[in-house]
Amino acid sequence: MSPSSVYDRVRAFLDKYGDKGFLVLKAALEVAGDPNVDHRYGDFSFKHLVLKLARLGFNYNPVNLLRSLEKEYGVVEKSYTSSNQTWWRFVDVEAVKSAVYEGAADSDDPRLALLKLKYESLEPARVRSTLLKLASKPSLSNVDKELFRSVVFNELTKLVELYYEMSNYEEYFAAQLSEVRELLRLAELVSAKMSKDKLPGEGKLRQEETLRAFGLHDNT
């Protein structure tokens, strides 16, 4: 198992698992330090950890990360197991705290990490790829239109909701905010294509100019 120190192992874990790993460790540390939790069996239980993550707005099953923390990195160890609960203990809680919080100026507020996780979970790159494909088609089939509606009412709606939350931290999320604006422009292009037969000549010309701006071509 390497690196040798608990501190270094936590840093290696965070390098690999990023914001998701940070949130799981931060939540576990908060449970470990909660005086209202009965710690006779250990620092945190699976149930307490899941509830803490849910309170942070992160509905996630941390079992795989816990397994990695225990088996691969040796940061935690099982302290109690029964038919209905499992508890873990940090092998060196102070070293874990130092590694988790060192240099994490933005991570002092988990809302930033959570917003980034929510954003990435919506797979904006996949949404962009879908919209680009639809925008580059000469015409849209009924299946294409149904796919577009699904993207608009699901991923794109959620991305715009996140946009307003991320706007409160504009310097931190500048790239994401720009990407959402681009996705909206692409979506408007597809929407115009759906009704392009009704567009006047000038409107169709503007649409073709926008297509070229994205490196696309309308072959109709």
Side-chain angles (χ1 to χ4, degrees):
M1 183 182 295
S2 63
S4 58
S5 74
V6 173
Y7 174 92
D8 289 338
R9 296 201 296 270
V10 174
R11 294 306 304 172
F13 171 83
L14 292 173
D15 286 343
K16 181 175 181 178
Y17 292 103
D19 292 333
K20 187 178 294 185
F22 168 79
L23 278 173
V24 168
L25 273 178
K26 180 177 173 62
L29 286 170
E30 290 183 4
V31 174
D34 189 343
N36 296 314
V37 173
D38 183 352
H39 292 106
R40 76 179 79 178
Y41 295 124
D43 289 326
F44 63 94
S45 71
F46 183 82
K47 179 180 178 180
H48 284 98
L49 178 58
V50 170
L51 287 173
K52 175 63 72 172
L53 289 168
R55 291 191 188 101
L56 294 173
F58 189 40
N59 296 312
Y60 174 71
N61 185 344
V63 63
N64 289 332
L65 290 190
L66 286 172
R67 184 181 297 115
S68 182
L69 283 168
E70 180 187 6
K71 303 294 185 182
E72 185 178 353
Y73 293 94
V75 173
V76 300
E77 57 188 10
K78 282 193 181 75
S79 54
Y80 179 81
T81 302
S82 70
S83 60
N84 62 357
Q85 60 178 324
T86 302
W87 286 77
W88 284 267
R89 179 179 289 113
F90 288 109
V91 296
D92 185 341
V93 68
E94 293 305 320
V96 174
K97 287 179 181 177
S98 296
V100 168
Y101 294 115
E102 181 189 68
D106 291 319
S107 297
D108 287 341
D109 184 351
R111 286 175 296 184
L112 294 178
L114 180 60
L115 281 172
K116 186 177 179 183
L117 279 172
K118 287 182 176 179
Y119 181 82
E120 291 173 349
S121 75
L122 293 170
E123 299 180 281
R126 180 184 58 79
V127 173
R128 184 179 189 276
S129 177
T130 299
L131 292 174
L132 280 170
K133 288 176 183 177
L134 293 174
S136 64
K137 286 190 172 187
S139 61
L140 300 179
S141 67
N142 288 333
V143 173
D144 292 330
K145 293 176 182 179
E146 193 59 39
L147 173 60
F148 176 64
R149 280 189 286 269
S150 176
V151 169
V152 169
F153 282 95
N154 291 287
E155 292 93 341
L156 200 55
T157 294
K158 292 174 182 176
L159 283 166
V160 170
E161 290 172 355
L162 283 174
Y163 180 94
Y164 288 104
E165 291 186 64
M166 292 187 296
S167 294
N168 295 318
Y169 312 96
E170 189 168 357
E171 293 184 4
Y172 190 82
F173 291 115
Q176 290 85 352
L177 294 172
S178 176
E179 187 168 25
V180 173
R181 290 192 292 268
E182 181 186 6
L183 292 176
L184 285 171
R185 289 195 295 272
L186 275 171
E188 289 170 354
L189 243 171
V190 179
S191 178
K193 182 179 285 289
M194 289 174 68
S195 57
K196 69 178 181 178
D197 291 339
K198 300 177 183 178
L199 288 173
E202 182 182 354
K204 189 173 190 300
L205 180 61
R206 285 199 299 270
Q207 180 187 343
E208 291 169 349
E209 290 173 351
T210 308
L211 281 166
R212 285 194 294 272
F214 279 101
L216 305 170
H217 302 282
D218 191 348
N219 298 318
T220 57

